[in-house]
Amino acid sequence: MNLCDIRVVKSLMSQHGTGTKKGFGQNFLINKQIPEAICEASYSYHKSVNPQGKSAVLEIGPGIGCLTYELCRAYDKTLAVEIDSSLIPILDKTLSEFDNVKVINEDFLKLDLKELLEKELGECTVSVCANLPYYITTPIIMALLEGARDENGKSAITSITVMVQKEVALRLCANEKKGDYGAISASIAYYGRAERLFDVTPDNFLPPPKVTSSVVRIELYDKPIYKVNSEKMLFKTIAGAFSQRRKTLLNSLSSYFSGISKEKISEIISQLGFPPDIRGERLSVEDFCRLADEIEKEV
Ligand code: SAM
């Protein structure tokens, strides 16, 4: 059964009395080459960094299972989390040939990620691979980056390969030398290296989304490589720096950290060697770490 054949998708859904739901961000892939390429991008990296041991993958939003099918063929174990209960009986059918897959009917954002990975995939190294529901791309990615680390900062996740809207992909992969750089780009840069791999046009989906999509791979550092006293303060500083897009770093930070005087913030900016009129989008993640350490002393 070709799970990307549009007639198969429609017939499976109508047999089970369901249809695509916009509210769940359901745009199903209808070109088999795309899930094959997404899986290959995920698995080839996973194997290059974890050549030995059992491989596992976590998928968020399997839909009717076209990407899940490829993941089950490549990885030793696949765990998929799907919010839409009407798709579960379809997945039972489309994945019936595999005994290395488990589908959980839950809202991914309500799960305790660490507990889930430990319980279901404890002995394996884990990658994440998904065609994400676009309405919750950023919270899902942040949950994956933040929620899978132990008390020493070691991540249970090796890499995250996801399809997102192209404009989001550009932001995820931007750096301080390129446009589109924002709070999410700086936060991701703290955890790993993001790369946009290829674009996918709307005609490859049912129903077609309004915009072009891109596949992005984030290769996570085993542990954070940047030194900062408080991660909490780092993310607050990043949020503060980008809180007022067209303003200087000084103005954005002083309205965000209302407990610190503007003079003090100006002093910190100059002490760190930045021009007085610099904007947040010129600061690298390393710069943000230095800035956060100085701000922390004042709060
Ligand atoms: N993987 C399929 C494909 O590529 O054709 C479907 C991808 S579709 C863009 C997004 C999927 O995420 C849908 O199956 C949707 O029901 C599911 N989804 C949406 N919100 C979710 C959530 N909070 N937790 C888990 N799954 C979710």
Side-chain angles (χ1 to χ4, degrees), residues 104-274:
I104 301 179
N105 181 206
E106 290 280 358
D107 177 346
F108 174 75
L109 291 176
K110 295 201 175 131
L111 288 171
D112 181 326
L113 181 60
K114 239 196 292 188
E115 204 179 285
L116 176 76
L117 295 180
E118 213 162 290
K119 181 168 163 242
E120 302 292 345
L121 305 172
E123 81 284 17
C124 308
T125 52
V126 183
S127 282
V128 173
C129 187
N131 170 14
L132 287 182
Y134 293 167
Y135 73 110
I136 43 169
T137 301
T138 306
I140 289 179
I141 292 179
M142 288 317 291
L144 291 168
L145 294 173
E146 287 166 358
R149 295 188 312 146
D150 66 16
E151 55 288 352
N152 301 315
K154 187 171 165 43
S155 178
I157 295 175
T158 297
S159 66
I160 301 172
T161 306
V162 281
M163 178 130 67
V164 299
Q165 284 175 279
K166 182 176 177 182
E167 59 156 306
V168 175
L170 292 171
R171 273 193 273 133
L172 299 181
C173 302
N175 61 39
E176 72 283 7
K177 296 174 199 91
K178 273 198 284 185
D180 303 303
Y181 185 64
I184 184 84
S185 337
S187 305
I188 287 183
Y190 177 71
Y191 290 109
R193 217 179 56 83
E195 188 185 353
R196 187 168 124 246
L197 301 178
F198 56 89
D199 293 342
V200 181
T201 51
D203 54 314
N204 289 290
F205 299 85
L206 175 80
K210 290 202 174 69
V211 291
T212 295
S213 304
S214 303
V215 173
V216 168
R217 184 172 62 209
I218 308 171
E219 300 167 2
L220 296 190
Y221 303 128
D222 193 28
K223 281 183 181 181
I225 60 168
Y226 302 104
K227 247 182 74 61
V228 68
N229 290 331
S230 155
E231 282 185 358
K232 202 168 156 204
M233 182 51 79
L234 170 66
F235 294 115
K236 266 177 124 170
T237 305
I238 292 174
F242 289 102
S243 59
Q244 302 192 4
R245 195 73 187 158
R246 258 165 253 108
K247 293 209 173 165
T248 59
L249 180 66
L250 174 60
N251 284 336
S252 299
L253 289 181
S254 36
S255 41
Y256 191 83
F257 291 103
S258 50
I260 313 177
S261 72
K262 194 167 180 178
E263 290 68 37
K264 187 70 222 177
I265 292 179
S266 165
E267 207 181 296
I268 294 175
I269 289 175
S270 110
Q271 187 191 323
L272 291 174
F274 302 132

Side-chain angles (χ1 to χ4, degrees), residues 21 23-30 35 38 59-68 81-84 87 106-109 130-136 140 163 205:
K21 300 188 182 76
F24 285 151
Q26 291 180 355
N27 300 97
F28 296 152
L29 281 165
I30 50 164
I38 299 174
E59 182 187 13
I60 299 132
I64 67 155
C66 67
L67 175 60
T68 330
V81 180
E82 173 56 61
I83 197 172
D84 183 354
L87 297 176
E106 290 280 358
D107 177 346
F108 174 75
L109 291 176
N131 170 14
L132 287 182
Y134 293 167
Y135 73 110
I136 43 169
I140 289 179
M163 178 130 67
F205 299 85

Side-chain angles (χ1 to χ4, degrees), residues 19-75:
T20 53
K21 300 188 182 76
K22 207 174 162 194
F24 285 151
Q26 291 180 355
N27 300 97
F28 296 152
L29 281 165
I30 50 164
N31 173 355
K32 197 169 162 41
Q33 286 173 359
I34 314 285
E36 283 172 358
I38 299 174
C39 175
E40 168 60 22
S42 170
Y43 188 69
S44 59
Y45 179 75
H46 186 102
K47 269 294 157 192
S48 74
V49 288
N50 305 291
Q52 256 112 44
K54 274 195 166 182
S55 61
V57 65
L58 168 68
E59 182 187 13
I60 299 132
I64 67 155
C66 67
L67 175 60
T68 330
Y69 190 93
E70 302 303 328
L71 297 173
C72 289
R73 284 166 47 122
Y75 283 88

